[in-house]
Amino acid sequence: MNRHTNLLGEFLRARRELVTPESVGLPQHGVRRVPGLRREEVAMLAGISADYYLRLEQGRDRNPSVQVLEALARVLRLDDAGTAYLLGLGSDSPRRARRRPRKETVPAGIRGLLDSLTQPAFLEGRYFDVLAANAPATALSPRLVAGRNRLRDVFLDPAERSLYPAWEEATASLVAGFRESVGTDTDDPRFIELVGELSLVSDRFRRLWARHDVRAREGASVMLDHPQVGELTLNREKLLVSGSPGLLLVVYHADRDSDNDEKLRLLSSYQATPRTPAPDVLNTVDDCLGSPSSCRLTST
């Protein structure tokens, strides 16, 4: 059986294990052999039979009603994003025929908008690929360029990881947003490749993915530790791109006239400044300053 065929059961089991008896008003007696709630406890609190709930977890019943799913969402303490995800899992069986995903392209208007913005901004695809970015975004992080993937970079690139003082919190939010973005479309080769790769090489990603956390892709405050300007606290907005499902325009901005605003402007000026020649070239230039007509620039 394909490991992705019982998404509903996997999600119910993972979320059940994260809910403590105390949080739902159940007394705790003796030693519990399972983390979180027992199946029969979830069933009792949701008002359904234990046998029916067992069939849901095992994938033997894949057509629960909306009322049952909403009751389970309440027991499992899901927020709006988690509830919407659960409802989507319940309505996805039997599995629908999948159409080949459309290639994600950058709308011409968005490309022009990126170039006109003075704030760091980039276009993010549904699998968290960077599809386009402006110069201020690249100044904020050299990994914010077309062709990179935010999941790979934040988990696997040491320089990107060092940007986030609260890296564990940032990765938890990133993975939960990724699950919400992908939804039930887990047959796509791009998804399988990305999750498989990260699960193999990152213990942190593997643990977070197993939790089945879901979080809406929305704006938030983010703190960075930038190698050039130090600590930065920015507002990160995520804006839907009309006519392009799954694409978000991500914009970073600082509170007006704050220290963070000044640091952002400083970063933009770094990006606009021509790059300094490499040290070996500089030494040759210095050597030639005394007699420029008689020397030839070389680099090693």
Side-chain angles (χ1 to χ4, degrees):
M1 179 183 292
N2 188 299
R3 66 181 291 270
H4 298 299
T5 57
N6 188 23
L7 293 174
L8 175 61
E10 292 176 6
F11 182 75
L12 290 174
R13 183 167 52 254
R15 301 312 301 175
R16 170 172 62 84
E17 293 176 352
L18 297 174
V19 180
T20 64
E22 296 86 352
S23 68
V24 293
L26 291 178
Q28 185 168 348
H29 301 296
V31 178
R32 299 176 68 90
R33 291 181 296 176
V34 296
L37 297 178
R38 300 184 179 98
R39 291 190 183 96
E40 57 269 24
E41 291 170 336
V42 174
M44 176 191 68
L45 292 168
I48 59 178
S49 72
D51 179 66
Y52 180 54
Y53 179 76
L54 177 62
R55 295 203 307 271
L56 289 177
E57 272 204 10
Q58 292 180 341
R60 292 187 288 123
D61 190 314
R62 303 193 177 197
N63 295 283
S65 68
V66 171
Q67 291 79 6
V68 166
L69 292 172
E70 289 178 339
L72 290 172
R74 287 192 295 271
V75 174
L76 299 177
R77 323 283 283 184
L78 302 181
D79 59 12
D80 290 345
T83 300
Y85 181 78
L86 176 59
L87 291 172
L89 292 178
S91 65
D92 194 53
S93 298
R95 294 181 68 82
R96 299 183 298 270
R98 305 290 186 190
R99 289 181 301 175
R100 173 177 253 173
R102 290 186 303 174
K103 182 180 179 181
E104 294 181 318
T105 58
V106 183
I110 294 298
R111 194 178 296 278
L113 177 61
L114 284 172
D115 292 340
S116 70
L117 289 173
T118 58
Q119 297 89 355
F122 67 96
L123 186 65
E124 179 181 271
R126 70 177 310 208
Y127 296 120
F128 289 19
D129 295 310
V130 178
L131 304 178
N134 63 7
T138 306
L140 191 64
S141 167
R143 273 71 58 189
L144 285 176
V145 291
R148 305 288 296 209
N149 180 271
R150 298 301 296 145
L151 282 167
R152 280 199 184 102
D153 285 338
V154 173
F155 277 96
L156 305 182
D157 190 300
E160 189 70 12
R161 173 174 177 167
S162 68
L163 280 177
Y164 296 90
W167 181 77
E168 292 198 351
E169 179 182 337
T171 51
S173 177
L174 193 67
V175 171
F178 178 64
R179 186 177 289 278
E180 192 272 344
S181 176
V182 173
T184 60
D185 292 332
T186 56
D187 290 340
D188 183 78
R190 172 71 174 142
F191 165 83
I192 295 171
E193 174 194 16
L194 189 56
V195 172
E197 175 193 358
L198 289 168
S199 296
L200 284 173
V201 298
S202 171
D203 291 339
R204 173 68 176 165
F205 177 86
R206 188 164 57 250
R207 290 194 301 270
L208 289 172
W209 191 247
R211 287 175 57 91
H212 287 252
D213 290 334
V214 181
R215 187 175 303 178
R217 296 164 72 191
E218 56 189 12
S221 176
V222 59
M223 186 171 69
L224 303 174
D225 185 9
H226 197 277
Q228 290 176 296
V229 297
E231 186 176 298
L232 269 171
T233 300
L234 302 175
N235 306 301
R236 183 181 60 203
E237 312 298 343
K238 295 194 172 186
L239 311 173
L240 291 172
V241 178
S242 62
S244 300
L247 269 57
L248 292 181
L249 179 64
V250 183
V251 183
Y252 293 87
H253 64 100
D255 293 338
R256 197 173 188 81
D257 297 327
S258 65
D259 289 344
N260 296 305
D261 192 22
E262 184 178 347
K263 289 177 180 179
L264 266 188
R265 289 197 298 268
L266 189 59
L267 273 178
S268 295
S269 70
Y270 287 158
Q271 187 72 14
T273 303
R275 292 186 178 180
T276 305
D280 53 340
V281 176
L282 274 178
N283 291 338
T284 309
V285 171
D286 289 337
D287 293 341
C288 291
L289 287 178
S291 53
S293 60
S294 60
C295 71
R296 182 175 58 187
L297 296 183
T298 60
S299 61
T300 57

